[in-house]
Amino acid sequence: MNKILRFCRLTLISLFAALCFTGLYHPIVSAHWADLVVADILVEETSAQMTLTLPTSLVAFADTDGDQHISSAEFEAHGSALEALFRDRIAFTQDDEPTAEFTVKRVAVESVTSTETPTAHSLFLLQYRWSTPIESLSIRYDLFPEGTAKPQCLATIYQGDTARSIIFTPQKTTFTLTNQQPWAQQFMSFLRLGVEHIFTGYDHILFLIALLLPGGNLVTLLKIVTAFTVAHSLTLSLAVFNLVTLPSTLVESIIALSIVYVAAENLWRQQFAHRWWLTFAFGLIHGLGFANILRDLTGAQSNLILSLASFNLGVELGQVAIVLIVFLGLRVLQKHTWVVPLRRSISLAMILVGVVWFAERAIGAIA
């Protein structure tokens, strides 16, 4: 009787924690795009332009009808305020001629062919022009959403035959463009992005924990993790090079269901020898989820390869850290008699979280 009461108590606590978790992290888990800005920057001899895709919430004062898009009429009405905002928070300067001729234009969302353009974002074209050729260009970007987990601007800079990708964050708001290709800077930027993405990708973390929760020896866990790594690396690469494309809503919904299925298996299965191939199958979908954050970073193939490799390495480093923490934690808990009901309670909580996320992503997209 005491064991039954203990199990019920753990179950109730876990379910309550799951409800709190889904409430606290709703803005983050509902979409990878929530705190993301994407910029395509073209640098020519005496001019530069930035095509900016940003959350409409950043320019909410101009969205008078509240439809999450800046219409042509709204742009005309608030053009001066938008120009002042962009001039204050984004700057392109060069040593020979610090002050540039600056203009802002609205880009119609309908003119963008990408199926991954988010519904709550607006597009603008910022143009800068100087009277003398550009020798060294400094870019400052400081326009980020507030109250989000990882605000950042993913920027691809095109200059002549070269393309490079950089990441602006509230901690790193400036970049100086010279004739030298900043390979090390780009590598470290995307390495950091990969680590941050796995540690703030709560759906991916829960999936990994659900996989490892039944325990097992180190060889068994390594087979599971290796299958996940190979699978998501494969589809991440294919998706970034546009060889495989699925709607992001479908991908994110299946990721939520993968958590539900694996956690449910933890409740009724006794043997988990099949888990490595199950992990591989779901890992293919998770790889497409990882790719969503890189899909809009286009450019030269060498540039994409470097960005992809460093991002994927960052994901793997974060994943290894999570696996080690879970493995060591399970080893410590194995000696306690209540470890089995604890695992079952955690699995129940994961099922609830996965169902809530699925409802947010699939049903919310239809509404």
Side-chain angles (χ1 to χ4, degrees), residues 139-161:
I139 303 173
R140 177 178 62 84
Y141 183 90
D142 190 19
L143 183 57
F144 301 99
E146 296 181 357
T148 54
K150 46 175 183 175
Q152 54 200 349
C153 172
L154 304 184
T156 302
I157 304 175
Y158 304 92
Q159 185 179 30
D161 296 329

Side-chain angles (χ1 to χ4, degrees), residues 39-254:
D40 286 328
I41 301 171
L42 175 63
V43 179
E44 298 180 319
E45 184 179 4
T46 62
S47 65
Q49 67 177 35
M50 170 188 282
T51 302
L52 195 62
T53 304
L54 79 171
T56 305
S57 59
L58 285 174
V59 290
F61 64 87
D63 183 23
T64 53
D65 61 5
D67 67 348
Q68 298 298 303
H69 286 294
I70 304 302
S71 66
S72 178
E74 289 171 335
F75 181 79
E76 291 294 330
H78 300 278
S80 298
L82 288 168
E83 180 177 332
L85 173 67
F86 292 136
R87 189 188 296 274
D88 179 57
R89 307 296 289 274
I90 304 171
F92 283 61
T93 57
Q94 63 155 325
D95 295 338
D96 293 341
E97 191 178 351
T99 303
E101 179 185 335
F102 175 63
T103 58
V104 179
K105 297 180 179 179
R106 169 186 170 272
V107 179
V109 176
E110 310 83 61
S111 66
V112 181
T113 57
S114 171
T115 58
E116 294 299 324
T117 301
T119 57
H121 282 55
S122 295
L123 283 76
F124 299 93
L125 179 64
L126 282 59
Q127 296 176 307
Y128 303 82
R129 185 172 298 278
W130 297 268
S131 60
T132 58
I134 298 172
E135 296 294 336
S136 177
L137 184 64
S138 177
I139 303 173
R140 177 178 62 84
Y141 183 90
D142 190 19
L143 183 57
F144 301 99
E146 296 181 357
T148 54
K150 46 175 183 175
Q152 54 200 349
C153 172
L154 304 184
T156 302
I157 304 175
Y158 304 92
Q159 185 179 30
D161 296 329
T162 65
R164 66 195 79 187
S165 297
I166 59 173
I167 302 170
F168 293 104
T169 67
Q171 295 74 38
K172 181 175 176 55
T173 59
T174 59
F175 175 80
T176 300
L177 182 65
T178 64
N179 292 329
Q180 296 180 343
Q181 185 78 350
W183 298 108
Q185 183 177 11
Q186 180 175 334
F187 179 85
M188 291 306 299
S189 293
F190 277 83
L191 181 73
R192 189 184 312 113
L193 178 64
V195 173
E196 292 176 352
H197 190 61
I198 190 67
F199 275 110
T200 56
Y202 303 104
D203 44 7
H204 303 302
I205 292 176
L206 283 192
F207 180 73
L208 282 172
I209 295 175
L211 286 170
L212 304 176
L213 202 56
N217 57 43
L218 187 58
V219 174
T220 301
L221 297 183
L222 285 176
K223 286 175 64 176
I224 293 174
V225 173
T226 300
F228 186 62
T229 297
V230 172
H232 77 63
S233 297
L234 175 62
T235 48
L236 171 61
S237 302
L238 293 175
V240 168
F241 286 99
N242 291 317
L243 298 177
V244 173
T245 303
L246 287 177
S248 60
T249 301
L250 175 62
V251 171
E252 299 297 335
S253 299
I254 296 176

